């Protein structure tokens, strides 16, 4: 096999509860991931070394050196297999870069699945999940897809049943935000307020809404503990969220660490109309309709 292609989805966090800062610099999380139909494609081709090339929108914002998460994933897989392998990785970007939708993690997951196939390793899914957890907190979910709750740093996953399809609109912002800077701002705001930070807990009402497929109930229970910090760093996102609500979104939230804003729609038609309204009114320069849940990293 000389070439393998893997499609891997973006995610939105329908609940992101952030616990107190731990001694190791991380936070305990309750992180409800939901995979949506915005995709990157990762192609792995035979090569003597491991390289990466990035195409599509935002490609100029993605590093192609050793810091690239897809390269790190391929190298971690080769190390796990105990041999030296090569692959030219070609990433077609559809997921925003530094947008709070796990684009880099998606590419890492895609590289793991593609190289496992290209190199004929035949490693089980559990092995790939273990490698993914060492690469980053969001990488295991990019492999898994669907809807799941992540605990610990977010990498300990439990699949959650969903009772139907949910329709979304994502308003894509100019420029990205580093996850580290948003968490740092969250910690700063908490320290300044001197408020006691509670231990994160899964929202039972949100779980029920997911299980029954009730979009109205889900919209009312969307939550993100990083949102205040993100809006502090990018205050221009607040009017975008307000505009989505004014145009009938069932819920409006910053996706992960942002700056992408996510809006839950009633159905596919409402999602298309909402995306059109956001762009024509100038509330967002680009708005994309999508649905979820969808599968994680998949060979195509």
């Amino acid at each position: 096999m000389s070439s393998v292609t893997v499609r891997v989805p973006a995610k939105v966090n329908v609940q992101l509860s952030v616990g107190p800062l731990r001694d190791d610099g991380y936070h305990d999380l309750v992180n409800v991931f939901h995979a949506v139909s915005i995709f990157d494609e990762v192609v792995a081709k035979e090569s003597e070394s491991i390289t990466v090339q990035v195409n599509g929108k935002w490609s100029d914002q993605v590093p192609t050196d050793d810091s690239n998460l897809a390269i790190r994933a391929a190298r971690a897989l080769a190390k796990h297999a105990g041999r030296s392998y090569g692959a030219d990785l070609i990433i077609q970007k559809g997921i925003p870069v530094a947008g709070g939708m796990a684009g880099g993690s998606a590419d890492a997951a895609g590289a793991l699945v593609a190289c496992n196939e290209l190199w004929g390793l035949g490693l089980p899914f559990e092995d790939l999940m273990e490698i993914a957890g060492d690469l980053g907190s969001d990488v295991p979910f990019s492999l898994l897809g669907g809807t799941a709750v992540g605990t610990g740093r977010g990498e300990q996953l439990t699949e959650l049943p969903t009772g139907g399809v949910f329709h979304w609109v994502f308003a894509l912002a100019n420029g990205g935000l580093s996850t580290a800077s948003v968490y740092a701002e969250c910690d700063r705001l908490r320290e300044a307020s001197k408020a006691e930070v509670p231990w994160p807990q899964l929202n039972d009402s949100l779980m029920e809404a997911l299980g029954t497929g009730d979009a109205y109930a889900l919209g009312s229970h969307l939550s993100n503990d990083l949102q205040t910090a993100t809006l502090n760093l990018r205050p221009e996102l607040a009017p975008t969220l307000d505009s989505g609500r004014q145009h009938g979104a069932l819920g409006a939230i910053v996706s992960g660490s942002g700056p992408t804003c996510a809006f839950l729609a009633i159905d596919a038609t409402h999602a298309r109309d909402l995306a059109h309204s956001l762009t024509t009114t100038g509330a967002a320069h680009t708005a994309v309709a999508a649905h979820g849940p969808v599968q994680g990293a998949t060979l195509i």
Side-chain angles (χ1 to χ4, degrees):
M1 188 172 296
S2 61
S3 178
V4 175
T5 302
V6 172
R7 187 175 73 172
V8 60
K11 61 82 179 166
V12 61
N13 305 91
V14 295
Q15 178 186 347
L16 179 49
S17 297
V18 180
L21 184 64
R22 304 190 318 202
D23 291 341
D24 63 2
Y26 289 100
H27 302 76
D28 283 294
L29 304 176
V30 168
N31 196 353
V32 180
F33 298 100
H34 183 69
V36 295
S37 59
I38 298 173
F39 300 99
D40 280 0
E41 286 189 1
V42 181
V43 178
K45 295 184 175 182
E46 287 183 347
S47 179
E48 304 223 344
S49 60
I50 296 174
T51 65
V52 68
Q53 172 188 326
V54 185
N55 301 323
K57 195 172 183 181
W58 310 292
S59 59
D60 59 334
Q61 300 173 38
V62 181
T64 54
D65 58 14
D66 289 352
S67 66
N68 183 283
L69 202 53
I71 285 183
R72 290 170 53 198
R75 288 181 175 163
L77 182 65
K79 182 178 179 181
H80 181 89
R83 288 184 55 190
S84 177
Y85 291 95
D88 288 331
L89 303 172
I90 303 167
I91 299 171
Q92 185 68 34
K93 290 299 294 179
I95 304 172
V97 175
M101 300 189 76
S105 296
D107 297 339
L112 288 175
V113 172
C115 290
N116 187 44
E117 186 75 11
L118 180 73
W119 298 336
L121 300 179
L123 292 176
F125 184 73
E126 292 74 19
D127 284 21
L128 298 184
M129 287 289 279
E130 182 180 342
I131 298 167
D134 291 335
L135 291 165
S137 299
D138 289 349
V139 183
F141 179 72
S142 295
L143 279 174
L144 181 65
T147 305
V149 58
T151 54
R153 291 183 289 107
E155 82 288 1
Q156 301 168 25
L157 295 176
T158 303
E159 293 184 74
L160 296 177
T162 52
V165 176
F166 295 98
H167 295 274
W168 299 88
V169 173
F170 296 94
L172 311 183
N174 285 315
L177 270 175
S178 89
T179 300
S181 67
V182 175
Y183 271 98
E185 179 68 1
C186 178
D187 291 335
R188 187 191 70 79
L189 292 172
R190 287 175 168 182
E191 177 65 26
S193 72
K194 303 297 183 185
E196 184 175 348
V197 180
W199 196 260
Q201 300 289 332
L202 186 59
N203 183 328
D204 291 336
S205 297
L206 179 134
M207 288 266 289
E208 182 179 354
L210 287 168
T212 59
D214 187 338
Y216 287 87
L218 179 61
S220 69
H221 290 290
L222 299 176
S223 65
N224 181 358
D225 284 355
L226 294 179
Q227 183 159 306
T228 299
T230 299
L231 294 179
N232 241 35
L233 296 172
R234 295 285 293 272
E236 69 274 15
L237 299 178
T240 302
L241 292 171
D242 288 341
S243 180
R245 296 184 189 102
Q246 289 164 10
H247 286 96
L250 303 180
I253 196 171
V254 170
S255 179
S257 56
T260 303
C261 293
F263 304 93
L264 186 59
I266 298 168
D267 53 26
T269 300
H270 182 218
R272 288 193 296 270
D273 291 345
L274 178 55
H276 180 72
S277 296
L278 288 168
T279 53
T280 55
T281 60
H285 71 84
T286 304
V288 179
H291 65 272
V294 296
Q295 289 183 312
T298 304
L299 289 162
I300 59 172

